[in-house]
Every structure is written in C-alpha cells, then in structure tokens.
Amino acid sequence: MSERSPVLSVRGLSVRFMMPGGEAVAAVTDVHFDVAPGECLALVGESGCGKSVLASALLGLLPANARTAGTALLGDHLDLLHADERTLARTVRGRRIGLVPQSPAAHLTPVRTVRSQLGETVAELTGVRGRAALRAAAEAAAARAAFPSDHLDRHPHELSGGLAQRAATALALAGDAPLLLADEPTTGLDRDLVDRTADELRRHVDADGGGHALLMITHDLNAAERIADRVAVMYAGRLVELTDANAFFGAPGPRHPYSRGLLAALPERAFTPVPGMPPELGALPEGCAFAPRCERATDICRAVLPPPREGFACHHPASVPWPEDARA
C-alpha cells in the first residue's frame, strides 16, 4: 500500500434523514477512514447498516431530506460533502470517481444500446474520437468487465440482471477514474464471474503503478477476501472495526463480535447466522447497538457506547480474555 496522500480521506462523516414532524434518523454516524493509492478497502455489513447511504453521500446523490456533517476529501482539497452539484456532475462523477451501482438498470439508458453508451462514456471521459477508435475502446471496456461482445448491440431491457451488472461495471471502468466506488459489484453473478469481476477491479487498483484506489461495498465476504487490503465493518450506521484483510480473514481474526459473526455465517466456516436482526436506525438502543444480539454483552455494553480503540469499537473484544468480574 502506498505512503502517498490518500485518494479519499473521510472524517466524521454523518448522515441524518429529516422525517415529517422533525424527527432525525441517523443513517451514518461519525465515520472515519482513508483509502490510499493502490488500496482496496472493503466496506462490509448486513443490509440496512448504512453502507450504500455512505456511498451516496460521497457522490452527492442523497435525497433532499438528508443532512450531512464531517468531511470527505478527494485528493488534497475537494470536499465531496460540500461540493456543489455542478462540480460533482462535471468533474467528479465518472471522471474522478467511477461508480459501479447497486442497481445497474437504473443507471443504463433504456433506449440506447450498451455499445453506444460505452462509446459515449469513453468519448466524454477520455477524449477518444473516431468511429473505429470508439468501437475498439467500447469493446475493450466490455471485455474488462466480462461483458460478451455479441450483446453490445442490445438494449438494457434485453439483458439479464447479471449482464446489466457487467455493463455497469464496464461503464465505470471506461473512464479510468482514480477512485472506483463499487456498490455490491458482484450482485447477480455466478461464482466464476464474481471472481473475474473482483480480479478486474483489483487490476484497476494496481494500474499505473498503483495510483488508483477502490472502495468496495459488499455483502460478499469471499470477494472481499480475494482482493481487499483492509476491511471496514459497519453496523447500525457506525464503523465497528477497521483492520488489515489478512488479519481479518486469517489470524488473529477480527476483534469485534459482530465481525466474527459475519465470518462464522459463511458456508465454508461455521455456517451459523448472526442471531437476531439489526435494529431500526430510527430506534437504536442505548449503548452498543449490537448488544441485544451479542453473547458477550454486559451491563456496560447496554448503557455506554464503546469508543473506537485500536481499530475496533467494543467493550469486550473477541480475542481478549473474558474478565471474570465483567459477567452480568
């Protein structure tokens, strides 16, 4: 991983949704992380934990009732949370941040073929001109995302969900943006295509001497293990752990009990789901939000929010011996 300045530096990022009657729902709370050149950071957690809201905040795609706080510096100076729509539309989306969306069909123009959309994207973002050059560039972008060339002249409604996902990935890769933000990039793909897509995203990170970076939001821990340098675990809108991927998936393993629960749920591991359900963001419990589902929880967990320390936020981290006087 590079010692150069981060491609993305997030500090204190919070997102609140203002509801009718004045209630504020905390979807993301006080998130801190960096993504360095040459790094893939995998952001993982169950549905509803705030991962996609965080991605939308970085791209300026939140609904009108959202309120943000904190900073998210792209490079050395551009704060994504305070940039105006003109700046985001003209200089950020596609050019400096390539997006692989969670719902690709919504990002594909329904009345145009995949080939024409790829060609237009290449022309706009890279300056390539000429029919033959654009055709070759579109086919190269499609090949990078394992999109079949004999489907390039089809419209989005003629594609399966997996093919639509690959088309969206091809569009994101076409601009060669310094930061790639991939929101569930392997949805709808079989295992071979998951591996191929993950490997292509990794190649994007490693291109040009490792000057690119990837923030991958995913439920697929196998894909994360395959390509991530670090893993950030989100629960109920907060980061509960941020650690090296080798330590997370290998030894000593994650420190937070929720992180360990996610790993234990994998079929090739214990195949044991995390008990219970995540809390509603509008009705978070006092203290640690994971406490109602955690077998290690004590009175302090249910009353006091654990401060982040050494890359995790837990009163009783899993790899620390259980204190005999802490049982409640």
Side-chain angles (χ1 to χ4, degrees):
M1 208 161 47
S2 173
E3 296 298 326
R4 290 173 285 178
S5 298
V7 175
L8 176 68
S9 183
V10 173
R11 294 291 180 271
L13 172 56
S14 297
V15 179
R16 302 287 185 271
F17 291 113
M18 306 309 297
M19 309 305 289
E23 179 189 5
V25 174
V28 177
T29 300
D30 197 28
V31 168
H32 301 255
F33 66 85
D34 291 334
V35 188
E39 179 181 28
C40 168
L41 175 64
L43 183 62
V44 304
E46 293 167 293
S47 295
C49 70
K51 305 187 304 299
S52 293
V53 172
L54 186 152
S56 295
L58 296 177
L59 291 165
L61 297 176
L62 291 169
N65 67 328
R67 303 290 182 270
T68 61
T71 60
L73 293 181
L74 183 63
D76 293 328
H77 64 281
L78 179 60
D79 186 349
L80 297 171
L81 301 186
H82 296 92
D84 57 57
E85 174 58 25
R86 180 186 177 92
T87 299
L88 292 169
R90 294 195 172 190
T91 68
V92 174
R93 300 184 198 123
R95 290 173 171 81
R96 297 183 66 183
I97 301 180
L99 172 65
V100 181
Q102 185 175 16
S103 302
H107 289 255
L108 298 171
T109 304
V111 297
R112 301 183 59 194
T113 66
V114 175
R115 185 190 300 277
S116 68
Q117 293 181 62
L118 277 171
E120 179 184 55
T121 299
V122 169
E124 181 180 355
L125 299 181
T126 69
V128 172
R129 294 292 184 269
R131 184 173 180 178
L134 285 174
R135 184 180 181 88
E139 292 176 354
R144 288 181 67 187
F147 187 88
S149 59
D150 59 354
H151 285 54
L152 278 169
D153 294 312
R154 297 189 179 187
H155 293 82
H157 73 272
E158 299 176 290
L159 305 177
S160 67
L163 282 175
Q165 184 69 55
R166 282 183 269 168
T169 301
L171 286 168
L173 293 171
D176 201 35
L179 176 64
L180 200 61
L181 200 166
D183 191 359
E184 302 293 352
T186 58
T187 298
L189 305 182
D190 62 35
R191 193 73 249 166
D192 287 343
L193 283 173
V194 165
D195 291 346
R196 183 166 176 177
T197 299
D199 290 346
E200 189 52 58
L201 295 175
R202 181 73 236 187
R203 276 190 286 273
H204 177 83
V205 172
D206 296 333
D208 298 331
H212 295 75
L214 169 64
L215 175 59
M216 181 171 69
I217 295 169
T218 185
H219 289 93
D220 190 338
L221 290 178
N222 289 310
E225 183 175 12
R226 188 175 181 90
I227 67 169
D229 297 294
R230 289 190 300 153
V231 177
V233 182
M234 222 172 166
Y235 187 77
R238 293 181 180 271
L239 280 190
V240 297
E241 186 153 8
L242 178 59
T243 189
D244 179 80
N246 290 330
F248 185 88
F249 292 106
R255 306 293 301 277
H256 199 282
Y258 176 63
S259 305
R260 292 212 167 189
L262 292 177
L263 283 181
L266 294 176
E268 62 270 25
R269 299 201 183 214
F271 205 24
T272 303
V274 181
M277 296 292 292
E280 294 290 335
L281 292 177
L284 294 178
E286 296 292 329
C288 175
F290 186 61
R293 307 173 69 187
C294 181
E295 64 180 11
R296 301 177 68 90
T298 64
D299 287 343
I300 191 173
C301 303
R302 291 182 279 270
V304 179
L305 188 70
R309 57 173 183 168
E310 301 176 11
F312 59 92
C314 181
H315 292 295
H316 306 303
S319 58
V320 172
W322 188 268
E324 290 299 325
D325 60 353
R327 300 183 187 273

